[in-house]
Amino acid sequence: MREFIVLRSEDKNAHFPHQAAVWMKLFGMPWNLILSSVWKYKRKLKEQKPCPKTTGQRSGSSALNHYLVVEANGGLNQQRSSICNAVAVAALLNATLVIPHFDFNSVWRDPSQFSDIYDEEHFINSLGHYVEVIRELPEELMKLYDFNISSIPSLRVQAWATAKYYLEEVYPVLSEQRVIRIAPFANRLAMNVPPDIQFLRCLANYEALRFSLPISTLAKKIINQMIDKSSSNGGKYVSIHLRFEEDMVAFSCCLYDGGEAEKKEMDAIREKGWGAKFKRKAHLIAPGLNRINGKCPMTPLEVGMMLRGMGFSNNTPIYLASGKIYQAERNLAPLLKMFPYLETKESLAALDELALFEGYSSRLAALDYMVCLYSEVFVTTQGGNFPHFLMGHRRIMYNGHAKTIKPDKSQLAFLLQDTNTSWKTFKDQMEAMLAESDRKGIMVPRVRRSNRKASIFTYPLPECRCLWESKNSTLESAQSFHLPKS
């Protein structure tokens, strides 16, 4: 059942940013941007260098009986990054990979483990010709550590470590101990690695990591519902990743419309979640500067005004991917008034279907990930691993185009703060911003032979084209690229 409240003219408690009042007239303006015509640029994939003749495929099992144990920390997609890097490092060290352990995070507070999020059997089988993956260490090794993985001494590895570092610094330790545990493992492998190793990182991300059956079943049902509800738009819909949750608002140190009460509330949330971090002298809290620099989470109202300015009409079907919105009743009302055909996983799934996911933030995020993946337009409103991974995944799916609106939040903040800006000027600026997102959607960073700095997860081309064209591992066989017919 929908939990949104439509804003009424007599609602004296509805409170919006001052500049919003100037733009409220946009609600009745008749724009109609056809979703099939949003993207003007068509990416033509140019011929790149041929894929390596050898793709790191091993013959038989790992001869050295070396084992790699990693702890993946963070949220859903930071853990995903760690898993892909673990596959790459295991191949680099010629080691057997133990299914990564998910570290319990005090912020995310999700106790899920690998098999709760991903199809473990598919992961093992997909990598079988390249990296051996096992569920647990052999009993003889477990005995040495009292059958407790955490008893294995943690090897500290520098962030963004190179392949050379692993071979010169880590491999000797592995050879001596037979098993190493790296914790934490987030961002512990450089983006620039040998082609064979890069291939395996692509293979892990786009083929081996398939969501578990409970997640994929419900996600596909939600996707089909969105497609049905978007029948007047050819089954196309817009997805928005909105980071206006309570913890995100608090972490950003930005101010909105709650005055002193909001400030006290956010101070309390920051202290509870991050201790004294924000009270240190070295930590400067400058809300105004954050906003001008584009670091403040966009409000639902700001997102709605941006999209209406870009030309999306009020009959545009929208899927809102988000956690619990800060003061949802008040903040979501204007967005719903601008876009009444707005849905969420809560509005589309039955209560008993979502009951299995409640309290598990990563599983809920996985549902949002899949629904956003299949949208015609993906709108990202804040940085982070979720949009970065999605943009890369969408580039693979949509022939190199990310089909993503990534707003210039600094420019948007400037326009919204200037109450003298006419609606025509605002609309012109938003249309230009959409065109720029379209242009950047097809851009591929130049990758020199020895210098890849851009994320392989956000910009998978041209390297992951090897996976795309591989006869043994086609993207068409991946779960995330197939929807049920009914």
Side-chain angles (χ1 to χ4, degrees):
M1 188 173 180
R2 197 182 288 279
E3 298 179 353
F4 304 129
I5 293 181
V6 177
L7 179 66
R8 302 185 303 275
S9 58
E10 70 270 22
D11 189 350
K12 304 298 184 182
N13 296 320
H15 183 65
F16 303 107
H18 171 68
Q19 71 271 19
V22 180
W23 303 110
M24 292 301 281
K25 61 183 179 180
L26 65 87
F27 289 155
M29 289 196 171
W31 303 298
N32 188 16
L33 182 63
I34 301 173
L35 291 186
S36 61
S37 65
V38 171
W39 312 113
K40 307 296 183 183
Y41 288 92
K42 304 297 180 183
R43 171 130 189 96
K44 294 181 180 179
L45 293 176
K46 297 179 180 179
E47 277 299 313
Q48 303 288 344
K49 295 179 180 179
C51 294
K53 292 182 180 180
T54 58
T55 53
Q57 183 168 341
R58 59 182 180 81
S59 56
S61 60
S62 180
L64 299 177
N65 290 321
H66 291 162
Y67 301 91
L68 173 64
V69 176
V70 303
E71 292 187 11
N73 54 310
L76 175 70
N77 288 289
Q78 185 166 312
Q79 289 174 340
R80 190 181 185 103
S81 170
S82 294
I83 296 166
C84 297
N85 288 340
V87 171
V89 169
L92 192 63
L93 299 176
N94 193 25
T96 295
L97 175 64
V98 180
I99 287 286
H101 174 79
F102 287 0
D103 186 39
F104 182 79
N105 187 281
S106 60
V107 175
W108 297 102
R109 304 192 66 80
D110 187 336
S112 298
Q113 286 301 316
F114 190 99
S115 60
D116 298 316
I117 307 293
Y118 299 106
D119 184 333
E120 199 170 84
E121 191 70 27
H122 179 80
F123 181 76
I124 293 172
N125 292 337
S126 297
L127 297 170
H129 293 296
Y130 306 93
V131 175
E132 184 175 4
V133 182
I134 58 176
R135 291 181 172 84
E136 296 179 347
L137 280 172
E139 186 174 356
E140 59 173 298
L141 283 176
M142 290 297 291
K143 280 184 179 179
L144 297 177
Y145 300 101
D146 297 322
F147 294 93
N148 185 355
I149 286 284
S150 298
S151 297
I152 302 173
S154 176
L155 180 66
R156 305 295 293 187
V157 173
Q158 66 183 34
W160 308 110
T162 63
K164 182 180 179 182
Y165 177 92
Y166 275 99
L167 293 175
E168 294 182 354
E169 303 293 334
V170 178
Y171 185 75
V173 180
L174 177 63
S175 296
E176 182 179 342
Q177 298 180 181
R178 288 186 59 200
V179 57
I180 56 171
R181 180 172 73 96
I182 305 178
F185 193 67
N187 303 324
R188 288 303 182 269
L189 180 63
M191 283 299 160
N192 178 45
V193 293
D196 290 352
I197 302 302
Q198 198 76 289
F199 170 84
L200 294 178
R201 192 146 57 176
C202 297
L203 178 67
N205 193 32
Y206 299 115
E207 168 68 19
L209 284 177
R210 183 168 78 178
F211 287 125
S212 64
L213 186 60
I215 291 173
S216 61
T217 300
L218 183 54
K220 288 173 181 177
K221 181 176 180 180
I222 294 174
I223 292 167
N224 281 330
Q225 285 184 278
M226 281 304 302
I227 292 173
D228 290 343
K229 290 177 179 292
S230 309
S231 58
S232 61
N233 286 278
K236 299 177 185 292
Y237 60 91
V238 175
S239 65
I240 303 171
H241 183 227
L242 185 62
R243 293 305 316 274
F244 202 67
E245 301 95 343
E246 189 177 76
D247 61 333
M248 193 68 191
V249 172
F251 189 83
S252 71
C253 297
C254 296
L255 295 179
Y256 292 90
D257 304 314
E260 189 61 29
E262 178 189 292
K263 183 179 181 301
K264 289 181 179 179
E265 182 183 9
M266 292 297 107
D267 285 342
I269 293 170
R270 282 190 285 267
E271 186 170 354
K272 180 181 178 181
W274 296 279
K277 175 179 179 178
F278 291 92
K279 293 183 177 181
R280 297 170 189 161
K281 291 182 178 180
H283 196 105
L284 177 65
I285 296 181
L289 185 61
N290 287 349
R291 185 167 297 279
I292 293 300
N293 289 336
K295 294 182 178 179
C296 291
M298 291 177 68
T299 67
L301 174 59
E302 290 169 340
V303 173
M305 290 194 295
M306 176 188 74
L307 292 178
R308 291 301 296 269
M310 288 177 174
F312 294 92
S313 67
N314 66 353
N315 65 358
T316 301
I318 288 180
Y319 179 82
L320 187 66
S322 177
K324 185 178 180 181
I325 298 296
Y326 174 56
Q327 297 191 2
E329 183 176 297
R330 185 190 78 176
N331 288 316
L332 280 174
L335 179 61
L336 185 60
K337 188 172 180 68
M338 283 184 270
F339 295 100
Y341 296 98
L342 184 147
E343 304 287 350
T344 66
K345 52 185 175 291
E346 289 81 10
S347 67
L348 293 172
L351 289 177
D352 60 328
E353 291 175 319
L354 277 179
L356 296 173
F357 296 81
E358 289 302 325
Y360 298 99
S361 60
S362 291
R363 302 183 203 184
L364 290 169
L367 291 176
D368 281 339
Y369 186 96
M370 281 196 69
V371 184
C372 290
L373 185 63
Y374 284 94
S375 62
E376 173 63 21
V377 179
F378 171 58
V379 182
T380 173
T381 63
Q382 190 75 4
N385 287 307
F386 187 100
H388 291 162
F389 269 79
L390 255 176
M391 288 168 67
H393 212 149
R394 289 166 65 82
R395 281 188 167 97
I396 289 289
M397 280 187 64
Y398 297 115
N399 199 32
H401 198 311
K403 292 191 174 184
T404 297
I405 295 176
K406 187 177 180 182
D408 182 336
K409 291 168 61 178
S410 294
Q411 181 187 7
L412 194 59
F414 176 79
L415 288 167
L416 291 175
Q417 286 180 358
D418 184 1
T419 55
N420 293 318
T421 302
S422 69
W423 174 248
K424 182 181 184 304
T425 299
F426 181 79
K427 185 172 181 290
D428 289 344
Q429 292 294 323
M430 292 304 98
E431 289 175 347
M433 194 177 291
L434 174 60
E436 181 66 2
S437 289
D438 186 11
R439 186 185 69 83
K440 287 185 175 179
I442 64 170
M443 290 176 64
V444 174
R446 287 185 179 179
V447 182
R448 297 178 181 177
R449 182 176 298 177
S450 60
N451 184 26
R452 178 184 245 283
K453 294 182 179 179
S455 169
I456 189 71
F457 305 119
T458 308
Y459 300 98
L461 302 175
E463 288 95 325
C464 290
R465 185 178 59 87
C466 296
L467 173 59
W468 201 334
E469 297 176 351
S470 171
K471 294 180 181 179
N472 296 323
S473 309
T474 63
L475 286 177
E476 292 180 350
S477 68
Q479 156 270 345
S480 61
F481 289 78
H482 281 287
L483 291 177
K485 294 181 179 179
S486 60

